[in-house]
Amino acid sequence: MPSSVPDFAELLGQCERSAVHLELRDSYAATERFDAWKRGERINWEERESWWHPYDQLIADTVARGVVIRRARVVSEPVSEYIRWEHYVTHANVTAGEQVRWLPRRQATAIALPANDFWLFDDELLRVHHFSGDGAVMEDEITTDPEAVKLCSAAFEAVWEQAIPHRQFKV
C-alpha cells in the first residue's frame, strides 16, 4: 500500500531534540537476516563494514547532532524466537547510539499502552506503524493530534522508567 508519509530519514533529519520508538509486538515479518540467523549464521561484530547499514549511519549522524534516540520494547516471556534474534542484532542499534531498553509484558499491566508501535519526534510528531497480523508493515500514519501525542509520550516514558537496559536484559 503506497504511503504519503515522509520517509524515516526525512523525519529524523528534521528532529532537533529527541526521537523515541515503542515496539509492542513479539514478532514482525521475517527478513533474510532473520532467516540467516535461524540457520545459525552469526554476525562478526569485529568486522563493522560487514553489518553497518545506512540506518546505523543515520542514527549515528543524528545522535552526533545532539538528538537523543531511545527505543523501548515490550516483550512476552519466554521471548519468541524473533525477539531472541532482535536482541542479538540490537548490538548494531546500541553501537550506532540508540539507548535501548526491554520491558517484560507482565510488568506493563498498569501502563496505558497504545495499540500500535510508533516513533515520536521532539514530543510533537507521531509516526504510527500499522501492521498486518503476520507482522508486515501495511502503512504508516503521521499525526500531531495532541491527545495521541500525549498518550504515546506518557506510555513510552512509563515503559522506559520500568524497562531493563539492553546489556542487562537476558533472553
Side-chain angles (χ1 to χ4, degrees), residues 22-116:
L22 184 61
E23 296 179 10
L24 301 166
R25 297 179 57 92
D26 286 320
S27 67
Y28 296 85
T31 65
E32 175 51 38
R33 291 174 59 208
F34 178 50
D35 291 340
W37 180 83
K38 289 192 301 184
R39 290 190 303 269
E41 295 177 27
R42 295 300 181 259
I43 297 168
N44 181 348
W45 295 113
E46 300 300 316
E47 293 181 14
R48 183 171 158 158
E49 66 280 352
S50 71
W51 56 266
W52 190 258
H53 295 289
Y55 174 84
D56 303 313
Q57 191 60 53
L58 174 63
I59 296 299
D61 292 346
T62 304
V63 169
R65 290 193 290 111
V67 176
V68 175
I69 301 177
R70 297 181 295 158
R71 178 186 303 256
R73 293 177 171 134
V74 178
V75 296
S76 300
E77 290 183 310
V79 299
S80 67
E81 185 175 31
Y82 189 94
I83 294 299
R84 281 197 313 277
W85 170 74
E86 196 169 49
H87 187 271
Y88 172 73
V89 297
T90 295
H91 177 82
N93 300 76
V94 172
T95 300
E98 282 189 34
Q99 299 172 39
V100 180
R101 292 186 182 180
W102 304 78
L103 182 65
R105 193 172 308 281
R106 68 172 183 257
Q107 294 176 19
T109 301
I111 300 173
L113 293 171
N116 300 297

Side-chain angles (χ1 to χ4, degrees), residues 112-131:
L113 293 171
N116 300 297
D117 291 12
F118 64 83
W119 276 94
L120 178 59
F121 302 94
D122 290 333
D123 294 313
E124 297 171 358
L125 183 85
L126 193 59
R127 180 178 179 152
V128 180
H129 302 300
H130 297 286
F131 294 94

